[in-house]
Amino acid sequence: MNPIPGPKSQSLMEARLKHVARGPFHTAPIFIRKAHGAVLEDVDGNELIDFAAGIGVTNIGHSESSVVQAISEQAGLLIHGSFNVTPYENYIRLAEKLNLKTPGNFHKKTFLANSGAEAVENAIKIARAYTGRQAVICFDHAFHGRTYMAMSLTAKAKPYKQGFGPFCSEIYRAPFPYTYRFKETPGLKPLEREALCVEECIAQFKNLVLTQIGATQVAAVMIEPVLGEGGFIPAPQSFLSALRSFCSEHGIVLIADEIQTGLGRTGTLFASEQLDFVPDLILTAKGLGGGMPISAVTGKAEIMDAPIEGGIGGTFGGNPVSCAAALAVFELFESGELLSRARSLGEVLRIRLGDWFQKFPVIGETRGLGPMHCYENGLIVMNAGTYGNVLRLLMPLVIEKGQLEKGLGILEKGLGTL
Ligand SMILES: *Cc1c(COP(=O)(O)O)cnc(C)c1O
């Protein structure tokens, strides 16, 4: 293997620094030319194992053939019409599919946009229009995107919010039940400790709503069922169920941000399914288009219908080529094998990371590892977490056994050097 980054990557990086704004970060300074399945090929001809999937997007694998075919067929027919000018069928078909596949046995409707942040923005507009209220509650460690409302809901100051204020008003933040960093609880078993953490977070949540904001002022509560950017922390089921009861009791719209967890990432189509969680609105984006930009807000029909005609929309939202790709993604999941592959991948990782937890003192929990760089050895892997010390594994679900083994080997070697 050639040195990474190779000469072509290095010279492109010089051009990048000259012509592109400093802001956008790179996990690795390597320019990619093509990708297939779970392998990236860079401009110098190096192959890299992909444990990032373009930030949890290409769950179905890079350049998956049925998605490529759907995209090229659709591109030959209609690349853009704008749903706001003259509608087209595959927008409707994708909405129908999302309404059917998302949690909740009630009449649902869907609105399509382009990015995760845009889904977040629209969900808040819809919840405010429906309730006639203003306050929005979000959580510690949350990541909801980079546009103004989404950034205001995002927890982490640096780099996401630094220098960008003032932020949107009427946003309140409650503690997320992060048991690992919960206070010392000598003598308690892990499940008792979790229960105590949930109890305290719920008490603080209720105190915030009832004493500081007023329940009748709250339009929406937005939560990631598993924190993504915030460090892959699953919300305990008991916490979500307490939120569900509270929101139902007070007429608050409960929104699940499944932008990172959705479309098979957790072994079911949506993480909410495993957590027995039925939100009023659910947001999807990353994995939805198999690599094409598209996002959706899906939820209770009466809530979704609150904005007046023309109140929500956009030039590009629900682009026909992206819709075709998303329908192909759903078809892949419906053939069944992908989700069971995701579950066995999860099992392999659980066992392997469990071993690492025993072996490497630097590991505090098997969902979190110390910061490191692996790309020189041919692996692309991303970090996460409020403290930047969580290693997140987001490989395409179709990764082959040998590729997975190779990637984990590189990671293990890296851990050994810490
Ligand atoms: C990535 C992400 C977003 C923002 O999506 P963009 O497409 O980058 O705007 C929002 N919420 C969660 C949970 C995400 O992981």
Side-chain angles (χ1 to χ4, degrees), residues 55 57 114-120 142-147 150 154 222-230 257-261 283-286 293-295 392:
I55 324 185
V57 167
N114 302 290
S115 66
E118 217 186 332
V120 169
F143 182 84
H144 296 297
R146 295 171 179 275
T147 54
T154 290
M222 186 178 289
I223 189 163
E224 295 158 83
V226 182
L227 291 173
E229 197 67 34
D257 179 347
E258 289 234 27
I259 288 168
Q260 189 156 164
T261 51
L283 313 182
T284 47
K286 288 189 163 79
I294 186 163
S295 67
R392 52 170 155 171

